[in-house]
Amino acid sequence: MGDQHADQTSTPNDRDLEGYGVIVTGSSRGIGAATAQLLGGRGAGVVVNYRQKAPRAAKVVKQVEEAGGRAVAVGADLTEAEGAQALVDAAVENFGSLNVLVLNASGGMEAGRGEDYALMLNRDAQVLLLRAAMDRMPKGSQVVFVTSHQAHFIYQTPTMDSYEPVAKSKRAGEDALRELIPELDARGITLTVVSGDMIEGTITATLLERAEPGAIENRRESAGKLYSVEEFAAEIAALVGREDLDQGHTELVGGAEDFLAQQ
């Protein structure tokens, strides 16, 4: 399905995710943490995923619980099959089901992780986790892949040099997930892609600014506005549970007008 920006956004019911098991990858901080808290506020049981920062993940669990949901923190390396399976098992064992998979974790700008790390995390790990999850997800479940305009449009619009390898790996991840749509269709599972511009206050923005000083301000001027972590998380959460979205729908948060103009 083509790129779309839905002007009509549904207002989620207060407890519309009661009884749902949800995994949010990369949720010990930033966008993932904020998304987990919003979904917990709608009654979901949330698996909070972290790689190393257990105390930070425990804080997010507390925030989800305070918002009205249930949560459990699971340390898992998503690039390993054992890590992916641990998240799926945690959702089913703690919350009785796995209904929503939010693929938020990404990276590739970190130092010392190896030149293949971006592709391993942003493509291979996404497919690995979805394959582990889909067999446990009932009909009507939803997968949400979080990406950036810089990645989604990388083959139409050049991006900053230091971000290009990450952008290409995230686009490869999106393409690989879309290739699984026939299998998702057979299981009654919907894939939704949500794309945003550079997000103020994220680790990616911080690393990008360090590599190319002024990059974020330049992007802000071009876009007119950059979303905050909380604003973007609200856009992601608003897509969860939507039943009016086509299979493979791409939600372009903020509209992405300057990217679309270059196609």
Side-chain angles (χ1 to χ4, degrees), residues 8-25:
Q8 177 185 356
T9 52
S10 59
T11 303
N13 298 322
D14 285 347
R15 307 290 294 179
D16 66 323
L17 301 183
E18 197 87 56
Y20 277 42
V22 177
I23 295 171
V24 182
T25 63

Side-chain angles (χ1 to χ4, degrees), residues 17 20-27 32 35-36 39 44-49 76 78 83-92 95 97-105 123-138 140-147 177 180 184 187-194 236-237 239-241 247:
L17 301 183
Y20 277 42
V22 177
I23 295 171
V24 182
T25 63
S27 47
T35 302
L39 298 179
V46 184
V47 177
V48 175
N49 161 237
L78 300 181
Q85 194 60 52
L87 293 181
V88 174
D89 291 346
V92 175
F95 310 123
S97 63
L98 173 56
N99 309 88
V100 179
L101 174 61
V102 180
L103 296 170
N104 166 73
R123 182 193 65 189
D124 301 345
Q126 311 300 318
V127 173
L128 186 68
L129 179 52
L130 179 52
R131 285 205 172 278
M134 65 168 64
D135 288 337
R136 306 298 295 274
M137 299 179 82
S141 295
Q142 184 181 19
V143 180
V144 179
F145 177 67
V146 181
T147 189
L177 293 173
L180 295 178
L184 295 174
R187 290 170 166 81
I189 301 170
T190 303
L191 171 66
T192 305
V193 174
V194 54
I236 297 168
L239 293 168
V240 172
Q247 177 67 282

